[in-house]
Amino acid sequence: DGPGLSRVLREAAEVSRYELDDASTAATIYRELCDRVPDDEVALHGLVRCLRAAGDDGEVAVLDQLAELRTEPVAKALAEKFA
C-alpha cells in the first residue's frame, strides 16, 4: 500500500473506463482503492461515476450521499479560507 499503489490503481481504473470502455472493471478497481484508502475522494468519485455508467443506480445513490458528506467539510474549509 502507499501512494505508488494508489496511483497505479487509479490509472488502471481510468484505462478500463475510458480506453477499454469497461465501467464495471473500473468500478471494481476503484472499489479496491476505496477499501485500501477510505479517504481517497478521487477514488470515491471515480467509483460513483463508473457505477453510474454501468447502470448500478442503487449503490450510486448511497455513494453519492457519502461523497457529498465527505467533501462538504473540505468545501466549507476552502470557502472560509478564500472568503
Side-chain angles (χ1 to χ4, degrees):
D1 288 355
L5 179 59
S6 293
R7 186 178 63 252
V8 168
L9 288 173
R10 201 174 291 114
E11 288 173 6
E14 292 295 309
V15 167
S16 294
R17 173 68 180 102
Y18 296 107
E19 292 182 27
L20 303 176
D21 196 28
D22 187 350
S24 295
T25 297
T28 300
I29 296 167
Y30 274 125
R31 188 180 316 280
E32 174 70 22
L33 183 53
C34 287
D35 288 345
R36 290 175 179 270
V37 187
D39 61 341
D40 187 331
E41 300 297 330
V42 174
L44 179 61
H45 288 281
L47 177 58
V48 170
R49 284 192 313 273
C50 290
L51 288 172
R52 185 174 287 125
D56 192 344
D57 295 331
E59 191 167 5
V60 166
V62 173
L63 289 173
D64 263 340
Q65 290 175 352
L66 179 60
E68 269 187 48
L69 291 174
R70 284 182 161 184
T71 56
E72 192 172 296
V74 173
K76 184 178 177 182
L78 287 173
E80 289 172 358
K81 181 176 180 179
F82 294 105

